[in-house]
Amino acid sequence: VEYFSTQNYVGLFLEENAAQFLRNLSEQFAEEAKTLILKCIYKQICSTKQTVFYYCNFLTYLSFCGRAALGTKVEPHSNKQLHITLAYKFPTNQFTKLEELAKKLDLNKPSAWEVRLYSKDPKFGDCETLRVLYPYSPTSETHLQLINGDCIFVGPEDVSDASKSSFEGWFYGTSWMTGCSGFFPATHTEKSTDTDTWTIHKNCVLTSKATASDEGRKLQRKYSRGADEFHTSGYSSQTLLQNVKTYIIYMPPKQPLTYYKHHHHIKDIAEVPEIDEPTHQQIESRDRSRHVPVPSNSGVVTTDPPPRPPKDDVYAQVQKPKGISPVLPTMNQRSRRIYIFRHAERVDVTFGKQWIKMSFDEQGHYHRKNLNMPQKIPKRVGGPEDFNHDSPITEMGLYQAFLTGQGLRGVGVNFSHVFSSPSLRCLQTANAILKGMGDDKKLNVNVDLALYEWMKWSPGGLPKFMDASSMNNFGIKVDKNYRSWVSEDDMPHNERCSDYFKRCHKFISRVAKETKGDILITGHAGSLDGLSRQIQGLSPRPMPEFVGIVTKIPYCGSLVLEDCPELGIWQIVDPPYPPLTHAPNPRFDWKILQG
């Protein structure tokens, strides 16, 4: 491989001789695949049990099948630049550091390359693949059971379509294992590569017959054009990184390559020109210390990955001491920051929409039916039905936010202003965070409609929010004199994703300009990306990408923006506090122990 970088890309490209070999292999495979299709059709015709085949009809049938076979697209992507992405679309001020890190890579390290043939279900070609993190038992006929080890296929339209998004944080997808479809909590899954659901048919190990050489290995930029062309033509940095295997690799430059078949596979899928193979003794002596797959005299190779090094060696290489308790860093003098949080666990997602009927009697009196349901609940002008689209948070949600506040206090964070979406769950989260910090008596919460979620996820329009007086009576200190920077007229029901980004950017730009000190913002899952995207100097995400990212943000998920005055932008930095993680705890039915 060779080093290559531009102002928005850092990566490794295959040297021309290695890339050309793979192109040739790809082209030969495509031709062989087309030939195989025709052979299969011919065998099918010959095995057809019919009494008579008129000659002209046979030719017509064969011609039709031939056209169908030729219409099958088996195209080698030989025009693609074969590369491994190390970094892509990063802030310009990070380029020098990333380039410095990339140049520390030793390109002469030993390696082993594999060529693999996979197939996948064409029905889910355009779907996103999610891996199940936690099992989930359905509480409704419309819900999908989540099984450990399963993958879920989700189409972009399933999360953007209001009819398939009953409430925030849920996806509609299809199980890879069972084939069943339904709603499931997005927080129980994470994005995965679609190769997890592929079927492997063949794999071949590539080796080289030469010894390593430093010639031609100087780190330099060899291409004049940028890397965008490689990513806009069907590739992305994330996809490339997901497809990189973790085998140790050895591929000297300017040398012919060959490959060896695995003993459990049948005849080669493509005829590769013969190349003199190194003897078994030569390869074994060269590769014994490199853990490279070694072919035997019969041409069989083993593909076991190299063993893990001892932990002591790993600690020594990364200079990480063992047995030292973590110490939270303290805040030193630095630029101002904006802390953006998603709200805590909400009642309607935890217990379903039926929680209102279950918890309120005919007179509208609240009865707590589960320990995780709120101990107290505010009175609404429209009665309990106002909670339908403006849910409170659970007791666990209150504790999530309180722990978050304690984490902020532990690293010395102090806020000068607090902003929140008018949603009850966001206001409760902000108040609980301030309680954890010990600042709930000092700071008032500024309620701004601009922080409400994307209107696409509020199909009934804006909910009937509680006013400032009701909030203060409930125990949440809200600034009665604060005026929102947007009005209800600025919140159309058919709001486009790009308009949501504009709304968020307008708000955070004004906050950054008209306030001083560190800021706390509590909003929705989309707030983290909507508020941070353009203030970093980046363009708004396309709707499918936006939906795919924000629906993975857990309760009390957060990010931290730090001001970069010299660049005129803000950038995302590591949060100074630890993350919040806990496992789901489904309801237990003790009746299963009866009898």
Side-chain angles (χ1 to χ4, degrees):
V1 290
E2 297 176 311
Y3 173 77
F4 169 60
S5 68
T6 65
Q7 286 299 317
N8 68 342
Y9 175 87
V10 176
L12 305 173
F13 279 67
L14 257 66
E15 291 182 342
E16 184 56 32
N17 70 312
Q20 188 58 46
F21 173 83
L22 294 178
R23 293 190 193 105
N24 293 340
L25 182 61
S26 175
E27 292 170 0
Q28 291 171 7
F29 167 75
E31 290 300 321
E32 184 72 13
K34 290 179 182 178
T35 304
L36 268 175
I37 294 173
L38 289 172
K39 287 181 179 179
C40 291
I41 293 175
Y42 177 75
K43 289 180 180 179
Q44 184 180 2
I45 294 172
C46 294
S47 62
T48 303
K49 295 181 179 180
Q50 293 185 359
T51 310
V52 178
F53 242 134
Y54 288 103
Y55 181 71
C56 60
N57 289 341
F58 175 79
L59 289 180
T60 302
Y61 182 63
L62 181 60
S63 174
F64 170 77
C65 292
R67 287 197 303 272
L70 292 175
T72 302
K73 292 184 179 181
V74 184
E75 299 177 351
H77 290 273
S78 56
N79 61 332
K80 303 295 182 183
Q81 291 281 357
L82 303 178
H83 61 290
I84 300 173
T85 299
L86 300 178
Y88 182 52
K89 286 187 176 180
F90 42 79
T92 54
N93 64 312
Q94 297 180 5
F95 172 73
T96 303
K97 183 62 177 178
L98 290 171
E99 188 175 42
E100 179 183 332
L101 291 172
K103 288 184 177 181
K104 291 181 179 180
L105 295 175
D106 186 357
L107 302 185
N108 293 313
K109 285 286 186 181
S111 64
W113 291 80
E114 277 195 352
V115 177
R116 296 187 175 188
L117 175 63
Y118 291 92
S119 66
K120 66 176 182 178
D121 193 330
K123 292 184 298 184
F124 304 108
D126 297 330
C127 293
E128 182 179 5
T129 304
L130 305 180
R131 182 173 65 88
V132 174
L133 292 176
Y134 312 110
Y136 171 73
S137 299
T139 58
S140 169
E141 293 181 356
T142 61
H143 289 185
L144 175 66
Q145 181 183 11
L146 299 182
I147 307 169
N148 278 332
D150 196 6
C151 290
I152 311 297
F153 298 109
V154 179
E157 69 282 357
D158 292 336
V159 287
S160 62
D161 188 355
S163 64
K164 292 186 177 181
S165 293
S166 58
F167 35 73
E168 179 187 6
W170 286 69
F171 274 172
Y172 185 89
T174 302
S175 167
W176 175 52
M177 287 184 174
T178 66
C180 298
S181 299
F183 294 100
F184 63 93
T187 53
H188 284 49
T189 62
E190 69 175 2
K191 188 171 183 179
S192 176
T193 173
D194 58 353
T195 55
D196 288 346
T197 60
W198 290 6
T199 300
I200 184 170
H201 298 279
K202 192 178 185 70
N203 57 319
C204 302
V205 177
L206 300 178
T207 63
S208 176
K209 57 183 289 185
T211 57
S213 171
D214 290 334
E215 185 177 352
R217 291 291 183 169
K218 294 181 180 179
L219 301 179
Q220 55 185 340
R221 301 181 192 175
K222 298 188 63 177
Y223 302 86
S224 59
R225 289 187 293 176
D228 283 329
E229 59 181 293
F230 312 124
H231 292 265
T232 56
S233 58
Y235 288 93
S236 69
S237 58
Q238 186 169 5
T239 303
L240 286 168
L241 286 172
Q242 288 173 340
N243 289 334
V244 173
K245 307 301 180 184
T246 56
Y247 290 99
I248 299 177
I249 296 174
Y250 174 77
M251 186 178 291
K254 314 300 182 185
Q255 299 297 335
L257 301 172
T258 184
Y259 75 101
Y260 299 90
K261 295 184 297 180
H262 283 197
H263 66 281
H264 56 278
H265 293 298
I266 60 174
K267 176 179 180 182
D268 286 28
I269 55 175
E271 295 294 329
V272 180
E274 293 185 1
I275 300 176
D276 291 336
E277 299 178 359
T279 66
H280 175 64
Q281 291 79 9
Q282 289 173 332
I283 297 179
E284 188 174 21
S285 61
R286 184 193 68 198
D287 296 330
R288 186 175 293 110
S289 63
R290 295 172 180 163
H291 306 288
V292 176
V294 180
S296 67
N297 291 330
S298 60
V300 177
V301 297
T302 60
T303 55
D304 294 334
R308 292 179 179 269
K311 289 186 177 180
D312 290 341
D313 293 349
V314 176
Y315 279 111
Q317 291 182 38
V318 299
Q319 298 180 346
K320 182 178 179 180
K322 298 185 297 181
I324 298 178
S325 301
V327 178
L328 297 179
T330 56
M331 305 297 292
N332 298 319
Q333 188 67 28
R334 41 114 184 114
S335 300
R336 62 187 300 227
R337 290 180 172 180
I338 299 177
Y339 296 74
I340 307 173
F341 287 86
R342 186 196 175 188
H343 59 76
E345 183 183 75
R346 50 192 288 182
V347 172
D348 58 350
V349 172
T350 305
F351 297 101
K353 292 291 185 180
Q354 67 273 15
W355 80 274
I356 296 177
K357 293 182 179 179
M358 181 173 62
S359 305
F360 289 89
D361 58 25
E362 294 180 356
Q363 288 73 38
H365 299 137
Y366 172 66
H367 301 278
R368 190 183 184 201
K369 298 294 185 178
N370 189 285
L371 292 178
N372 195 27
M373 284 187 171
Q375 294 189 37
K376 65 175 185 176
I377 215 161
K379 292 184 178 180
R380 306 296 293 263
V381 175
E385 292 302 317
D386 280 358
F387 291 115
N388 257 327
H389 301 289
D390 190 24
S391 172
I393 61 177
T394 63
E395 287 297 308
M396 185 60 67
L398 287 172
Y399 192 56
Q400 288 173 333
F402 183 80
L403 284 176
T404 300
Q406 287 186 325
L408 291 165
R409 182 180 62 182
V411 295
V413 174
N414 292 291
F415 295 122
S416 60
H417 298 83
V418 181
F419 295 89
S420 173
S421 162
S423 294
L424 175 58
R425 56 189 180 274
C426 298
L427 286 161
Q428 286 183 288
T429 301
N431 188 60
I433 290 176
L434 292 176
K435 281 187 176 181
M437 298 179 67
D439 290 339
D440 56 311
K441 305 298 182 183
K442 303 176 184 177
L443 294 171
N444 291 337
V445 180
N446 301 314
V447 182
D448 204 299
L449 187 59
L451 291 173
Y452 187 62
E453 65 183 343
W454 181 26
M455 292 297 293
K456 183 77 173 181
W457 285 330
S458 186
L462 287 172
K464 296 178 181 178
F465 298 119
M466 295 176 61
D467 57 28
S469 297
S470 300
M471 281 294 176
N472 281 286
N473 292 335
F474 183 57
I476 300 176
K477 289 188 62 178
V478 172
D479 189 347
K480 296 181 179 180
N481 298 319
Y482 180 82
R483 294 293 176 264
S484 175
W485 287 348
V486 299
S487 64
E488 293 186 7
D489 296 335
D490 301 319
M491 308 285 286
H493 293 185
N494 59 344
E495 183 181 39
R496 296 178 301 176
C497 187
S498 58
D499 293 332
Y500 172 71
F501 274 99
K502 289 179 182 178
R503 164 159 59 97
C504 291
H505 181 57
K506 181 179 179 181
F507 170 81
I508 198 167
S509 297
R510 292 186 64 174
V511 166
K513 182 179 179 180
E514 299 182 11
T515 62
K516 295 181 180 180
D518 289 351
I519 308 297
L520 169 64
I521 297 176
T522 56
H524 307 266
S527 303
L528 275 70
D529 195 47
L531 294 170
S532 66
R533 186 71 180 169
Q534 290 173 272
I535 203 168
Q536 296 179 76
L538 304 174
S539 58
R541 295 186 195 273
M543 186 270 291
E545 184 181 351
F546 167 72
V547 171
I549 288 177
V550 303
T551 47
K552 304 296 189 307
I553 298 173
Y555 293 125
C556 284
S558 65
L559 67 78
V560 182
L561 290 168
E562 185 171 276
D563 188 15
C564 300
E566 67 280 1
L567 298 176
I569 61 172
W570 293 65
Q571 65 177 359
I572 297 178
V573 297
D574 290 334
Y577 44 86
L580 174 66
T581 307
H582 57 80
N585 190 45
R587 180 176 180 176
F588 173 65
D589 185 5
W590 57 269
K591 294 179 182 179
I592 63 175
L593 301 177
Q594 287 181 324

